[in-house]
Amino acid sequence: MRIGLAQSRFPKSLADGMDIVQQMIVQASEQECGIVCFPESILPGLRGVGFSVEEYDHTKMSAALDEVCAWAKQYHVAVILPTEWKDEDGMHLVAFVISEEGEIQGYQTKNQIDPDEDQFDYVSGRGRQLFTVNHVSFGIVICHEGWRYPETVRWAAQRGASIVFHPQFTGPVPNPEFYRGAMVCRSMENNIYFASVNYALEDQGTTTTLVSPTGVKVSTLPENEVGLLVWDIEPEQAHRLLAKRFRAELV
């Protein structure tokens, strides 16, 4: 399956984010990607990272989601769309999965909230799920989860995921080597692909990167450069040996 990882600029507004999403979906379609993944909370933007983000409006967000579904169908490409989303439990950070037919398969909530995000009253989700596009099973972990909670990636790998997508925001950090190494660890400790998607930033702690099931960084985008990382993954290479051998009862 050909995947696209969209290292986009940070949106100035929800409307601007929609323009970014549409442009990247078109690029992904032109390059015959089966799926395209965006950074954390591309709509309306991620709060608390130094950019202005407009207040959440559920009516506008619902309309935006419907429009992205229409684009997915029009351009025949599946989309992983990270957003804010409010339900009966409260405000979540999520990643919607939209099929190439424009149908919502569901969404993965961010269940491990970064302490710096407590001020925004985000609520943890209620579980994890696998998704399937073009007969390829995958999981999603959102930013902080993939860096500091490896269990979230292993959950998907143990249940058959060949790849885990990692929408994130990582700006300037004092120890960028931790983040770069963590991507490799999430891959090698499970023998799966790990696809980490960051924004294009002036000082990125890590850039958008795809890591193979053997821990090789097969492709990465330059810092502060908007672009679409395109790669043909081979799901059969994700044999998940180490993930399958994990014996949770002995922890």
Side-chain angles (χ1 to χ4, degrees):
M1 180 173 70
R2 179 168 294 176
I3 66 169
L5 308 180
Q7 183 166 283
S8 64
R9 59 182 173 82
F10 197 94
K12 298 176 182 177
S13 64
L14 176 59
D16 185 46
M18 290 293 287
D19 288 341
I20 292 170
V21 168
Q22 184 181 27
Q23 291 168 14
M24 287 294 193
I25 288 175
V26 170
Q27 287 186 40
S29 177
E30 290 174 345
Q31 298 192 53
E32 300 182 340
C33 294
I35 190 168
V36 59
C37 180
F38 290 88
E40 181 178 17
S41 196
I42 185 68
L43 301 179
L46 186 64
R47 303 183 192 278
V49 295
F51 296 89
S52 176
V53 178
E54 63 191 73
E55 289 191 16
Y56 180 86
D57 184 313
H58 193 72
T59 299
K60 290 182 179 178
M61 187 63 72
S62 297
L65 180 60
D66 288 343
E67 192 161 4
V68 176
C69 288
W71 293 336
K73 182 177 181 179
Q74 177 182 353
Y75 297 106
H76 203 60
V77 57
V79 179
I80 297 175
L81 182 73
T83 74
E84 288 185 324
W85 191 253
K86 192 171 186 179
D87 64 12
E88 63 276 8
D89 293 329
M91 184 70 77
H92 300 281
L93 287 166
V94 309
F96 281 94
V97 176
I98 304 167
S99 75
E100 59 188 15
E101 289 82 27
E103 299 174 351
I104 297 174
Q105 291 191 9
Y107 62 75
Q108 177 60 62
T109 49
K110 187 175 186 178
N111 298 340
Q112 307 294 334
I113 305 299
D114 190 301
D116 291 339
E117 294 170 338
D118 288 344
Q119 61 185 306
F120 303 114
D121 296 323
Y122 289 124
V123 178
S124 299
R126 296 188 178 185
R128 313 204 71 83
Q129 59 180 309
L130 288 183
F131 303 92
T132 302
V133 168
N134 292 335
H135 307 292
V136 177
S137 294
F138 62 91
I140 301 170
V141 300
I142 301 175
C143 200
H144 182 66
E145 297 184 312
W147 299 137
R148 298 177 181 86
Y149 295 89
E151 299 89 347
T152 60
V153 179
R154 177 146 289 171
W155 183 95
Q158 284 192 297
R159 289 160 178 78
S162 299
I163 182 170
V164 167
F165 290 93
H166 180 229
Q168 49 129 330
F169 178 103
T170 305
V173 289
N175 55 344
E177 64 280 355
F178 163 77
Y179 299 88
R180 296 164 189 164
M183 291 189 289
V184 175
C185 288
R186 298 300 87 83
S187 165
M188 291 187 69
E189 66 201 11
N190 294 294
N191 303 125
I192 61 169
Y193 287 96
F194 190 75
S196 190
V197 191
N198 198 7
Y199 288 93
L201 304 167
E202 289 185 4
D203 188 1
Q204 292 179 239
T206 179
T207 64
T208 295
T209 301
L210 175 66
V211 187
S212 78
T214 58
V216 175
K217 293 182 180 180
V218 295
S219 187
T220 186
L221 293 180
E223 185 174 306
N224 195 26
E225 183 175 306
V226 171
L228 185 68
L229 188 161
V230 176
W231 198 267
D232 292 317
I233 67 167
E234 300 178 45
E236 63 276 9
Q237 290 187 1
H239 52 76
R240 301 179 291 110
L241 176 62
L242 293 177
K244 290 187 286 188
R245 286 177 62 86
F246 177 64
R247 299 181 63 182
E249 74 277 11
L250 298 182
V251 171

